[in-house]
Short mmCIF file of all heavy atoms in Angstrom, two decimals:
data_model
loop_
_atom_site.label_atom_id
_atom_site.label_comp_id
_atom_site.label_asym_id
_atom_site.label_seq_id
_atom_site.Cartn_x
_atom_site.Cartn_y
_atom_site.Cartn_z
N MET K 71 62.91 -103.67 65.36
CA MET K 71 62.07 -103.16 66.44
C MET K 71 62.16 -104.11 67.62
O MET K 71 62.32 -105.35 67.43
CB MET K 71 60.61 -102.96 66.07
CG MET K 71 60.43 -102.06 64.85
SD MET K 71 60.97 -100.37 65.09
CE MET K 71 59.83 -99.75 66.25
N LYS K 72 62.06 -103.55 68.85
CA LYS K 72 62.11 -104.35 70.04
C LYS K 72 60.99 -103.99 70.99
O LYS K 72 60.44 -102.94 70.98
CB LYS K 72 63.46 -104.14 70.75
CG LYS K 72 64.60 -104.55 69.91
CD LYS K 72 65.85 -104.67 70.71
CE LYS K 72 66.94 -105.30 69.88
NZ LYS K 72 68.04 -105.83 70.56
N HIS K 73 60.66 -104.94 71.84
CA HIS K 73 59.64 -104.75 72.83
C HIS K 73 60.06 -105.36 74.15
O HIS K 73 61.01 -106.15 74.17
CB HIS K 73 58.31 -105.34 72.40
CG HIS K 73 58.32 -106.80 72.23
ND1 HIS K 73 58.83 -107.43 71.04
CD2 HIS K 73 57.95 -107.84 73.05
CE1 HIS K 73 58.76 -108.75 71.19
NE2 HIS K 73 58.18 -109.00 72.38
N LEU K 74 59.37 -105.06 75.21
CA LEU K 74 59.75 -105.59 76.56
C LEU K 74 58.98 -106.82 76.90
O LEU K 74 57.76 -106.92 76.49
CB LEU K 74 59.52 -104.48 77.66
CG LEU K 74 60.45 -103.36 77.63
CD1 LEU K 74 59.86 -102.19 78.43
CD2 LEU K 74 61.74 -103.68 78.14
N GLN K 75 59.64 -107.73 77.62
CA GLN K 75 58.93 -108.89 78.16
C GLN K 75 59.39 -109.16 79.55
O GLN K 75 60.50 -108.83 79.99
CB GLN K 75 59.34 -110.15 77.32
CG GLN K 75 58.51 -110.33 76.12
CD GLN K 75 58.71 -111.66 75.41
OE1 GLN K 75 59.55 -112.41 75.79
NE2 GLN K 75 57.92 -111.85 74.33
N VAL K 76 58.49 -109.76 80.36
CA VAL K 76 58.78 -110.10 81.75
C VAL K 76 58.77 -111.59 81.91
O VAL K 76 57.90 -112.23 81.44
CB VAL K 76 57.79 -109.50 82.74
CG1 VAL K 76 58.09 -109.90 84.17
CG2 VAL K 76 57.84 -107.91 82.66
N ASP K 77 59.82 -112.19 82.56
CA ASP K 77 59.78 -113.54 82.93
C ASP K 77 59.13 -113.61 84.29
O ASP K 77 59.72 -113.23 85.35
CB ASP K 77 61.23 -114.08 83.00
CG ASP K 77 61.31 -115.55 83.43
OD1 ASP K 77 60.31 -116.04 83.93
OD2 ASP K 77 62.42 -116.12 83.29
N TRP K 78 57.88 -114.05 84.30
CA TRP K 78 57.07 -114.05 85.57
C TRP K 78 57.60 -115.01 86.60
O TRP K 78 57.25 -114.97 87.77
CB TRP K 78 55.63 -114.32 85.23
CG TRP K 78 55.01 -113.25 84.44
CD1 TRP K 78 54.64 -113.35 83.11
CD2 TRP K 78 54.83 -111.90 84.76
NE1 TRP K 78 54.18 -112.10 82.68
CE2 TRP K 78 54.28 -111.19 83.60
CE3 TRP K 78 55.06 -111.14 85.98
CZ2 TRP K 78 53.99 -109.85 83.70
CZ3 TRP K 78 54.74 -109.84 85.98
CH2 TRP K 78 54.24 -109.21 84.92
N THR K 79 58.52 -116.01 86.18
CA THR K 79 59.02 -116.90 87.11
C THR K 79 60.14 -116.20 87.95
O THR K 79 60.56 -116.71 89.01
CB THR K 79 59.62 -118.16 86.48
OG1 THR K 79 60.78 -117.83 85.60
CG2 THR K 79 58.55 -118.89 85.62
N ARG K 80 60.64 -115.10 87.41
CA ARG K 80 61.64 -114.39 88.15
C ARG K 80 61.23 -113.09 88.88
O ARG K 80 61.73 -112.75 89.93
CB ARG K 80 62.80 -113.98 87.10
CG ARG K 80 63.60 -115.12 86.61
CD ARG K 80 64.58 -114.60 85.58
NE ARG K 80 65.54 -115.58 85.15
CZ ARG K 80 66.68 -115.83 85.66
NH1 ARG K 80 67.11 -115.02 86.67
NH2 ARG K 80 67.46 -116.76 85.20
N CYS K 81 60.32 -112.42 88.23
CA CYS K 81 59.84 -111.08 88.76
C CYS K 81 59.27 -111.23 90.15
O CYS K 81 58.47 -112.11 90.42
CB CYS K 81 58.75 -110.49 87.82
SG CYS K 81 58.13 -108.94 88.40
N ASP K 82 59.76 -110.32 91.06
CA ASP K 82 59.18 -110.38 92.43
C ASP K 82 58.49 -109.05 92.77
O ASP K 82 58.28 -108.83 94.00
CB ASP K 82 60.27 -110.80 93.41
CG ASP K 82 61.38 -109.84 93.48
OD1 ASP K 82 61.34 -108.82 92.79
OD2 ASP K 82 62.36 -110.09 94.28
N GLY K 83 58.22 -108.27 91.78
CA GLY K 83 57.40 -107.10 92.00
C GLY K 83 58.13 -105.97 92.77
O GLY K 83 57.47 -105.25 93.46
N HIS K 84 59.39 -105.81 92.54
CA HIS K 84 60.05 -104.66 93.12
C HIS K 84 59.58 -103.30 92.63
O HIS K 84 59.50 -102.34 93.25
CB HIS K 84 61.62 -104.65 92.80
CG HIS K 84 62.36 -105.59 93.73
ND1 HIS K 84 62.61 -105.25 95.02
CD2 HIS K 84 62.98 -106.78 93.50
CE1 HIS K 84 63.32 -106.22 95.59
NE2 HIS K 84 63.54 -107.15 94.70
N GLY K 85 59.26 -103.32 91.31
CA GLY K 85 58.62 -102.11 90.73
C GLY K 85 59.69 -101.11 90.22
O GLY K 85 59.33 -99.98 89.76
N LEU K 86 60.93 -101.44 90.29
CA LEU K 86 61.97 -100.53 89.86
C LEU K 86 61.82 -100.22 88.42
O LEU K 86 62.01 -99.06 87.93
CB LEU K 86 63.35 -101.11 90.07
CG LEU K 86 64.55 -100.41 89.65
CD1 LEU K 86 64.57 -98.97 90.35
CD2 LEU K 86 65.84 -101.10 89.93
N CYS K 87 61.40 -101.16 87.61
CA CYS K 87 61.28 -100.94 86.15
C CYS K 87 60.26 -99.87 85.83
O CYS K 87 60.45 -99.11 84.89
CB CYS K 87 60.92 -102.26 85.48
SG CYS K 87 59.45 -103.07 86.17
N ALA K 88 59.21 -99.82 86.62
CA ALA K 88 58.12 -98.82 86.40
C ALA K 88 58.67 -97.42 86.66
O ALA K 88 58.23 -96.44 86.07
CB ALA K 88 56.91 -99.15 87.20
N ARG K 89 59.54 -97.32 87.57
CA ARG K 89 60.18 -95.99 87.95
C ARG K 89 61.10 -95.54 86.83
O ARG K 89 61.18 -94.34 86.56
CB ARG K 89 60.89 -96.04 89.25
CG ARG K 89 59.94 -95.80 90.43
CD ARG K 89 60.67 -95.77 91.71
NE ARG K 89 60.72 -97.09 92.31
CZ ARG K 89 61.69 -97.57 93.09
NH1 ARG K 89 62.68 -96.86 93.38
NH2 ARG K 89 61.54 -98.78 93.61
N LEU K 90 61.79 -96.48 86.15
CA LEU K 90 62.76 -96.11 85.12
C LEU K 90 62.06 -95.95 83.72
O LEU K 90 62.67 -95.33 82.90
CB LEU K 90 63.84 -97.24 85.07
CG LEU K 90 64.69 -97.34 86.29
CD1 LEU K 90 65.61 -98.56 86.18
CD2 LEU K 90 65.50 -96.05 86.49
N LEU K 91 60.97 -96.55 83.52
CA LEU K 91 60.27 -96.45 82.17
C LEU K 91 58.73 -96.32 82.37
O LEU K 91 57.97 -97.15 81.94
CB LEU K 91 60.58 -97.75 81.39
CG LEU K 91 60.31 -97.69 79.95
CD1 LEU K 91 61.00 -96.60 79.21
CD2 LEU K 91 60.62 -99.00 79.28
N SER K 92 58.37 -95.24 83.06
CA SER K 92 57.02 -95.05 83.41
C SER K 92 56.10 -94.88 82.18
O SER K 92 54.91 -95.12 82.21
CB SER K 92 56.83 -93.85 84.33
OG SER K 92 57.36 -92.73 83.72
N GLU K 93 56.68 -94.56 81.00
CA GLU K 93 55.89 -94.35 79.85
C GLU K 93 55.31 -95.71 79.35
O GLU K 93 54.32 -95.81 78.65
CB GLU K 93 56.69 -93.81 78.63
CG GLU K 93 57.59 -92.64 78.92
CD GLU K 93 58.98 -93.07 79.39
OE1 GLU K 93 59.12 -93.54 80.49
OE2 GLU K 93 59.90 -92.88 78.60
N ARG K 94 56.02 -96.86 79.70
CA ARG K 94 55.62 -98.11 79.17
C ARG K 94 55.29 -99.14 80.27
O ARG K 94 54.74 -100.16 79.99
CB ARG K 94 56.77 -98.74 78.37
CG ARG K 94 57.02 -98.01 77.08
CD ARG K 94 55.75 -97.98 76.24
NE ARG K 94 55.96 -97.48 74.93
CZ ARG K 94 55.90 -98.24 73.83
NH1 ARG K 94 55.55 -99.51 73.91
NH2 ARG K 94 56.12 -97.73 72.67
N ILE K 95 55.67 -98.84 81.55
CA ILE K 95 55.45 -99.82 82.59
C ILE K 95 54.67 -99.15 83.74
O ILE K 95 55.15 -98.19 84.31
CB ILE K 95 56.75 -100.47 83.10
CG1 ILE K 95 57.54 -101.03 81.92
CG2 ILE K 95 56.44 -101.49 84.15
CD1 ILE K 95 58.96 -101.47 82.30
N THR K 96 53.58 -99.72 84.16
CA THR K 96 52.85 -99.31 85.26
C THR K 96 52.85 -100.51 86.20
O THR K 96 53.25 -101.57 85.87
CB THR K 96 51.41 -98.83 85.00
OG1 THR K 96 50.74 -99.87 84.28
CG2 THR K 96 51.43 -97.54 84.11
N LEU K 97 52.31 -100.25 87.45
CA LEU K 97 52.30 -101.41 88.42
C LEU K 97 50.87 -101.73 88.75
O LEU K 97 49.99 -100.87 88.85
CB LEU K 97 53.02 -101.01 89.71
CG LEU K 97 54.50 -100.70 89.48
CD1 LEU K 97 55.10 -100.22 90.81
CD2 LEU K 97 55.30 -101.80 88.90
N ASP K 98 50.63 -103.02 88.99
CA ASP K 98 49.31 -103.48 89.40
C ASP K 98 49.20 -103.24 90.92
O ASP K 98 50.15 -102.72 91.56
CB ASP K 98 48.96 -104.88 89.02
CG ASP K 98 49.80 -105.92 89.73
OD1 ASP K 98 50.46 -105.62 90.75
OD2 ASP K 98 49.81 -107.10 89.27
N GLU K 99 48.10 -103.53 91.54
CA GLU K 99 47.87 -103.29 92.92
C GLU K 99 48.80 -103.97 93.88
O GLU K 99 48.95 -103.69 95.05
CB GLU K 99 46.42 -103.50 93.29
CG GLU K 99 46.02 -104.98 93.13
CD GLU K 99 44.49 -105.16 93.29
OE1 GLU K 99 43.97 -104.92 94.41
OE2 GLU K 99 43.85 -105.46 92.28
N TRP K 100 49.48 -105.05 93.34
CA TRP K 100 50.41 -105.80 94.17
C TRP K 100 51.90 -105.42 93.87
O TRP K 100 52.80 -105.99 94.43
CB TRP K 100 50.27 -107.32 93.95
CG TRP K 100 48.95 -107.78 94.40
CD1 TRP K 100 48.49 -108.08 95.65
CD2 TRP K 100 47.75 -108.02 93.56
NE1 TRP K 100 47.21 -108.48 95.66
CE2 TRP K 100 46.70 -108.43 94.39
CE3 TRP K 100 47.57 -107.96 92.11
CZ2 TRP K 100 45.42 -108.75 93.90
CZ3 TRP K 100 46.26 -108.22 91.65
CH2 TRP K 100 45.28 -108.65 92.51
N GLY K 101 52.03 -104.48 93.00
CA GLY K 101 53.41 -103.96 92.68
C GLY K 101 54.04 -104.72 91.49
O GLY K 101 55.23 -104.47 91.21
N PHE K 102 53.30 -105.57 90.82
CA PHE K 102 53.85 -106.25 89.68
C PHE K 102 53.60 -105.43 88.41
O PHE K 102 52.70 -104.65 88.29
CB PHE K 102 53.27 -107.65 89.50
CG PHE K 102 53.79 -108.63 90.52
CD1 PHE K 102 53.13 -108.76 91.74
CD2 PHE K 102 54.89 -109.39 90.21
CE1 PHE K 102 53.63 -109.65 92.66
CE2 PHE K 102 55.42 -110.27 91.13
CZ PHE K 102 54.78 -110.41 92.37
N PRO K 103 54.61 -105.45 87.49
CA PRO K 103 54.55 -104.60 86.34
C PRO K 103 53.48 -105.01 85.33
O PRO K 103 53.19 -106.15 85.10
CB PRO K 103 55.94 -104.74 85.70
CG PRO K 103 56.47 -106.07 86.12
CD PRO K 103 55.86 -106.32 87.48
N ILE K 104 52.87 -103.93 84.76
CA ILE K 104 51.95 -104.09 83.62
C ILE K 104 52.73 -103.48 82.44
O ILE K 104 52.99 -102.26 82.49
CB ILE K 104 50.63 -103.37 83.84
CG1 ILE K 104 49.98 -103.95 85.13
CG2 ILE K 104 49.74 -103.51 82.61
CD1 ILE K 104 48.77 -103.14 85.60
N ILE K 105 53.13 -104.29 81.55
CA ILE K 105 54.00 -103.87 80.45
C ILE K 105 53.15 -103.52 79.19
O ILE K 105 52.27 -104.32 78.81
CB ILE K 105 54.99 -105.07 80.02
CG1 ILE K 105 55.75 -105.56 81.24
CG2 ILE K 105 55.85 -104.59 78.89
CD1 ILE K 105 56.82 -104.68 81.70
N ASP K 106 53.48 -102.39 78.68
CA ASP K 106 52.99 -102.03 77.33
C ASP K 106 53.94 -102.70 76.32
O ASP K 106 55.08 -102.25 76.16
CB ASP K 106 52.96 -100.50 77.14
CG ASP K 106 52.56 -100.07 75.73
OD1 ASP K 106 52.54 -100.92 74.82
OD2 ASP K 106 52.33 -98.87 75.59
N GLY K 107 53.52 -103.82 75.77
CA GLY K 107 54.45 -104.63 74.98
C GLY K 107 54.60 -104.20 73.50
O GLY K 107 55.11 -104.98 72.74
N ARG K 108 54.04 -103.06 73.19
CA ARG K 108 54.23 -102.59 71.80
C ARG K 108 55.70 -102.23 71.55
O ARG K 108 56.47 -102.02 72.45
CB ARG K 108 53.31 -101.36 71.51
CG ARG K 108 51.86 -101.73 71.52
CD ARG K 108 51.02 -100.47 71.35
NE ARG K 108 51.21 -99.60 72.53
CZ ARG K 108 50.74 -98.39 72.62
NH1 ARG K 108 50.01 -97.83 71.67
NH2 ARG K 108 50.91 -97.65 73.73
N ASP K 109 56.00 -102.12 70.30
CA ASP K 109 57.45 -101.73 69.95
C ASP K 109 57.82 -100.45 70.56
O ASP K 109 57.11 -99.46 70.65
CB ASP K 109 57.55 -101.62 68.42
CG ASP K 109 57.51 -102.91 67.72
OD1 ASP K 109 57.85 -103.96 68.30
OD2 ASP K 109 57.12 -102.93 66.52
N LEU K 110 59.06 -100.42 71.10
CA LEU K 110 59.57 -99.25 71.75
C LEU K 110 60.03 -98.23 70.64
O LEU K 110 60.50 -98.67 69.59
CB LEU K 110 60.78 -99.61 72.62
CG LEU K 110 60.42 -100.44 73.81
CD1 LEU K 110 61.61 -101.24 74.26
CD2 LEU K 110 59.86 -99.61 74.96
N THR K 111 59.94 -96.99 70.96
CA THR K 111 60.43 -95.98 70.02
C THR K 111 61.98 -95.88 70.26
O THR K 111 62.49 -96.31 71.29
CB THR K 111 59.78 -94.62 70.27
OG1 THR K 111 60.14 -94.15 71.55
CG2 THR K 111 58.26 -94.75 70.14
N VAL K 112 62.62 -95.22 69.36
CA VAL K 112 64.05 -95.05 69.45
C VAL K 112 64.32 -94.23 70.77
O VAL K 112 65.31 -94.53 71.46
CB VAL K 112 64.62 -94.30 68.22
CG1 VAL K 112 66.05 -93.84 68.40
CG2 VAL K 112 64.45 -95.17 66.99
N ARG K 113 63.51 -93.25 71.01
CA ARG K 113 63.70 -92.43 72.23
C ARG K 113 63.54 -93.19 73.51
O ARG K 113 64.13 -92.89 74.51
CB ARG K 113 62.78 -91.26 72.23
CG ARG K 113 63.02 -90.26 71.12
CD ARG K 113 62.09 -89.10 71.13
NE ARG K 113 62.31 -88.28 72.30
CZ ARG K 113 61.63 -87.18 72.52
NH1 ARG K 113 60.69 -86.79 71.75
NH2 ARG K 113 61.92 -86.46 73.57
N GLU K 114 62.72 -94.26 73.46
CA GLU K 114 62.48 -95.05 74.71
C GLU K 114 63.50 -96.13 74.93
O GLU K 114 63.65 -96.65 76.04
CB GLU K 114 61.06 -95.73 74.63
CG GLU K 114 59.96 -94.76 74.71
CD GLU K 114 58.64 -95.33 74.34
OE1 GLU K 114 58.58 -96.40 73.57
OE2 GLU K 114 57.59 -94.86 74.76
N LEU K 115 64.26 -96.45 73.91
CA LEU K 115 65.22 -97.57 73.99
C LEU K 115 66.25 -97.47 75.10
O LEU K 115 66.57 -98.40 75.78
CB LEU K 115 65.89 -97.84 72.61
CG LEU K 115 65.22 -98.85 71.72
CD1 LEU K 115 65.94 -98.92 70.44
CD2 LEU K 115 65.06 -100.23 72.41
N SER K 116 66.82 -96.25 75.28
CA SER K 116 67.90 -96.12 76.30
C SER K 116 67.30 -96.34 77.62
O SER K 116 67.94 -97.03 78.54
CB SER K 116 68.66 -94.83 76.12
OG SER K 116 67.82 -93.78 76.33
N SER K 117 66.15 -95.81 77.91
CA SER K 117 65.51 -96.01 79.26
C SER K 117 65.06 -97.46 79.42
O SER K 117 65.25 -98.04 80.51
CB SER K 117 64.24 -95.18 79.41
OG SER K 117 64.58 -93.81 79.32
N ALA K 118 64.70 -98.11 78.28
CA ALA K 118 64.31 -99.49 78.36
C ALA K 118 65.61 -100.36 78.71
O ALA K 118 65.53 -101.28 79.48
CB ALA K 118 63.70 -100.02 77.11
N ARG K 119 66.70 -100.06 78.08
CA ARG K 119 67.94 -100.80 78.39
C ARG K 119 68.39 -100.60 79.82
O ARG K 119 68.84 -101.53 80.50
CB ARG K 119 69.06 -100.31 77.39
CG ARG K 119 68.80 -100.86 76.04
CD ARG K 119 70.05 -100.59 75.17
NE ARG K 119 69.80 -101.07 73.76
CZ ARG K 119 69.60 -100.26 72.75
NH1 ARG K 119 69.69 -98.95 72.92
NH2 ARG K 119 69.37 -100.78 71.55
N LEU K 120 68.21 -99.39 80.34
CA LEU K 120 68.56 -99.13 81.75
C LEU K 120 67.63 -99.93 82.61
O LEU K 120 68.07 -100.54 83.64
CB LEU K 120 68.38 -97.63 82.01
CG LEU K 120 68.71 -97.23 83.51
CD1 LEU K 120 70.12 -97.62 83.89
CD2 LEU K 120 68.45 -95.75 83.66
N ALA K 121 66.36 -100.06 82.33
CA ALA K 121 65.42 -100.82 83.13
C ALA K 121 65.75 -102.27 83.11
O ALA K 121 65.79 -102.95 84.16
CB ALA K 121 63.94 -100.54 82.61
N VAL K 122 66.18 -102.76 81.94
CA VAL K 122 66.57 -104.17 81.83
C VAL K 122 67.79 -104.43 82.68
O VAL K 122 67.88 -105.43 83.43
CB VAL K 122 66.81 -104.55 80.34
CG1 VAL K 122 67.60 -105.86 80.22
CG2 VAL K 122 65.48 -104.59 79.60
N ARG K 123 68.79 -103.53 82.56
CA ARG K 123 70.04 -103.79 83.33
C ARG K 123 69.82 -103.62 84.84
O ARG K 123 70.57 -104.23 85.64
CB ARG K 123 71.06 -102.69 82.91
CG ARG K 123 71.78 -102.94 81.62
CD ARG K 123 73.07 -102.19 81.44
NE ARG K 123 72.90 -100.73 81.69
CZ ARG K 123 72.52 -99.79 80.81
NH1 ARG K 123 72.33 -100.16 79.59
NH2 ARG K 123 72.39 -98.53 81.13
N SER K 124 68.84 -102.80 85.22
CA SER K 124 68.60 -102.53 86.64
C SER K 124 67.76 -103.49 87.31
O SER K 124 67.65 -103.50 88.57
CB SER K 124 68.00 -101.11 86.83
OG SER K 124 68.84 -100.10 86.18
N CYS K 125 67.02 -104.34 86.58
CA CYS K 125 66.15 -105.25 87.26
C CYS K 125 66.87 -106.15 88.15
O CYS K 125 67.77 -106.95 87.74
CB CYS K 125 65.39 -106.07 86.17
SG CYS K 125 64.37 -107.40 86.88
N PRO K 126 66.60 -106.17 89.43
CA PRO K 126 67.35 -107.00 90.40
C PRO K 126 67.20 -108.48 90.24
O PRO K 126 67.97 -109.25 90.74
CB PRO K 126 66.82 -106.49 91.76
CG PRO K 126 65.50 -105.90 91.49
CD PRO K 126 65.56 -105.35 90.11
N ARG K 127 66.13 -108.86 89.54
CA ARG K 127 65.92 -110.30 89.30
C ARG K 127 66.16 -110.78 87.89
O ARG K 127 65.87 -111.93 87.55
CB ARG K 127 64.40 -110.63 89.66
CG ARG K 127 64.01 -110.26 91.09
CD ARG K 127 64.51 -111.25 92.07
NE ARG K 127 63.84 -112.54 91.74
CZ ARG K 127 64.20 -113.68 92.21
NH1 ARG K 127 65.26 -113.76 93.00
NH2 ARG K 127 63.56 -114.78 91.91
N LEU K 128 66.71 -109.90 87.09
CA LEU K 128 67.00 -110.23 85.65
C LEU K 128 65.72 -110.78 84.95
O LEU K 128 65.82 -111.73 84.18
CB LEU K 128 68.16 -111.25 85.60
CG LEU K 128 69.50 -110.86 86.24
CD1 LEU K 128 70.53 -111.94 86.08
CD2 LEU K 128 70.04 -109.49 85.70
N ALA K 129 64.65 -110.20 85.39
CA ALA K 129 63.33 -110.64 84.78
C ALA K 129 62.85 -109.94 83.58
O ALA K 129 61.97 -110.43 82.89
CB ALA K 129 62.23 -110.56 85.91
N LEU K 130 63.47 -108.75 83.40
CA LEU K 130 62.98 -107.95 82.26
C LEU K 130 63.97 -108.05 81.04
O LEU K 130 65.12 -108.04 81.25
CB LEU K 130 62.94 -106.50 82.77
CG LEU K 130 62.23 -105.51 81.84
CD1 LEU K 130 60.76 -105.81 81.74
CD2 LEU K 130 62.42 -104.07 82.46
N THR K 131 63.39 -108.33 79.86
CA THR K 131 64.27 -108.44 78.71
C THR K 131 63.73 -107.61 77.56
O THR K 131 62.52 -107.33 77.44
CB THR K 131 64.41 -109.93 78.21
OG1 THR K 131 63.07 -110.43 78.02
CG2 THR K 131 65.13 -110.76 79.23
N LEU K 132 64.62 -107.25 76.63
CA LEU K 132 64.24 -106.61 75.46
C LEU K 132 64.30 -107.68 74.35
O LEU K 132 65.34 -108.36 74.13
CB LEU K 132 65.31 -105.57 75.03
CG LEU K 132 65.02 -104.13 75.46
CD1 LEU K 132 66.28 -103.27 75.05
CD2 LEU K 132 63.80 -103.67 74.75
N GLU K 133 63.26 -107.87 73.63
CA GLU K 133 63.11 -108.93 72.66
C GLU K 133 62.87 -108.28 71.31
O GLU K 133 62.11 -107.36 71.12
CB GLU K 133 62.01 -109.86 72.99
CG GLU K 133 62.05 -110.57 74.32
CD GLU K 133 63.22 -111.53 74.42
OE1 GLU K 133 63.56 -112.06 73.39
OE2 GLU K 133 63.72 -111.76 75.52
N PRO K 134 63.48 -108.93 70.27
CA PRO K 134 63.20 -108.46 68.92
C PRO K 134 61.75 -108.77 68.54
O PRO K 134 61.22 -109.88 68.92
CB PRO K 134 64.14 -109.19 68.01
CG PRO K 134 64.70 -110.34 68.83
CD PRO K 134 64.42 -109.98 70.30
N THR K 135 61.10 -107.90 67.91
CA THR K 135 59.70 -108.15 67.40
C THR K 135 59.79 -108.91 66.10
O THR K 135 60.43 -108.52 65.19
CB THR K 135 58.97 -106.80 67.24
OG1 THR K 135 58.94 -106.09 68.53
CG2 THR K 135 57.53 -107.01 66.73
N VAL K 136 59.08 -110.00 66.14
CA VAL K 136 59.02 -110.80 64.93
C VAL K 136 57.76 -110.39 64.13
O VAL K 136 56.69 -110.36 64.58
CB VAL K 136 58.82 -112.38 65.26
CG1 VAL K 136 58.74 -113.17 64.03
CG2 VAL K 136 60.01 -112.73 66.17
N THR K 137 58.09 -109.99 62.93
CA THR K 137 56.98 -109.54 62.01
C THR K 137 56.93 -110.60 60.89
O THR K 137 57.88 -111.34 60.67
CB THR K 137 57.30 -108.20 61.38
OG1 THR K 137 58.56 -108.25 60.66
CG2 THR K 137 57.48 -107.08 62.41
N PRO K 138 55.83 -110.66 60.21
CA PRO K 138 55.68 -111.61 59.13
C PRO K 138 56.89 -111.50 58.10
O PRO K 138 57.39 -112.49 57.59
CB PRO K 138 54.38 -111.26 58.41
CG PRO K 138 53.58 -110.61 59.58
CD PRO K 138 54.58 -109.92 60.41
N ALA K 139 57.39 -110.31 57.87
CA ALA K 139 58.47 -110.10 56.90
C ALA K 139 59.79 -110.63 57.42
O ALA K 139 60.63 -110.99 56.67
CB ALA K 139 58.57 -108.59 56.61
N SER K 140 59.93 -110.76 58.78
CA SER K 140 61.23 -111.20 59.31
C SER K 140 61.23 -112.65 59.61
O SER K 140 62.26 -113.15 60.12
CB SER K 140 61.56 -110.40 60.64
OG SER K 140 60.52 -110.62 61.59
N ARG K 141 60.18 -113.43 59.38
CA ARG K 141 60.17 -114.87 59.55
C ARG K 141 60.87 -115.62 58.47
O ARG K 141 61.01 -115.13 57.36
CB ARG K 141 58.73 -115.34 59.69
CG ARG K 141 58.14 -115.01 61.00
CD ARG K 141 56.75 -115.60 61.13
NE ARG K 141 56.18 -115.02 62.36
CZ ARG K 141 54.91 -114.86 62.49
NH1 ARG K 141 54.09 -115.25 61.62
NH2 ARG K 141 54.45 -114.20 63.55
S1 LIG F 246 62.29 -104.45 88.23
FE1 LIG F 246 62.31 -106.60 87.58
S2 LIG F 246 61.69 -107.74 89.41
FE2 LIG F 246 61.09 -105.59 89.69
S3 LIG F 246 59.03 -105.43 88.99
FE3 LIG F 246 60.36 -104.91 87.24
S4 LIG F 246 60.65 -106.84 86.11
FE4 LIG F 246 59.87 -107.37 88.22
#
């Protein structure tokens, strides 16, 4: 399983990610993303990958979810 993460040192609040994955990303009042960091569903993964590839600041990443069983 994978989830989204934002590198806040890179993100500049373009908001493109929220347009590409509105089911999981909304924007705060300044245009910075609010990420639903729960595991993505299989159906959401392709949109999530597109959002990651499209981020102009390379701030958005897909990370594997570490569960107790995978440690
Ligand atoms: S697209 Fe990238 S830079 Fe823009 S708000 Fe999303 S994470 Fe931040």
Side-chain angles (χ1 to χ4, degrees):
M71 301 300 288
K72 295 193 174 198
H73 63 279
L74 289 164
Q75 276 188 355
V76 176
D77 179 345
W78 296 111
T79 66
R80 289 178 173 265
C81 177
D82 63 3
H84 277 290
L86 178 60
C87 53
R89 276 184 265 151
L90 295 172
L91 193 60
S92 58
E93 314 91 287
R94 291 305 189 110
I95 306 173
T96 55
L97 300 177
D98 69 13
E99 60 189 294
W100 297 280
F102 285 89
I104 301 169
I105 306 284
D106 175 345
R108 292 175 295 172
D109 287 335
L110 294 156
T111 65
V112 172
R113 292 180 71 178
E114 292 168 333
L115 266 178
S116 63
S117 297
R119 288 191 180 107
L120 177 62
V122 166
R123 283 197 310 270
S124 303
C125 174
R127 301 282 299 164
L128 304 178
L130 192 63
T131 54
L132 264 177
E133 301 292 335
T135 300
V136 177
T137 62
S140 62
R141 286 185 190 151

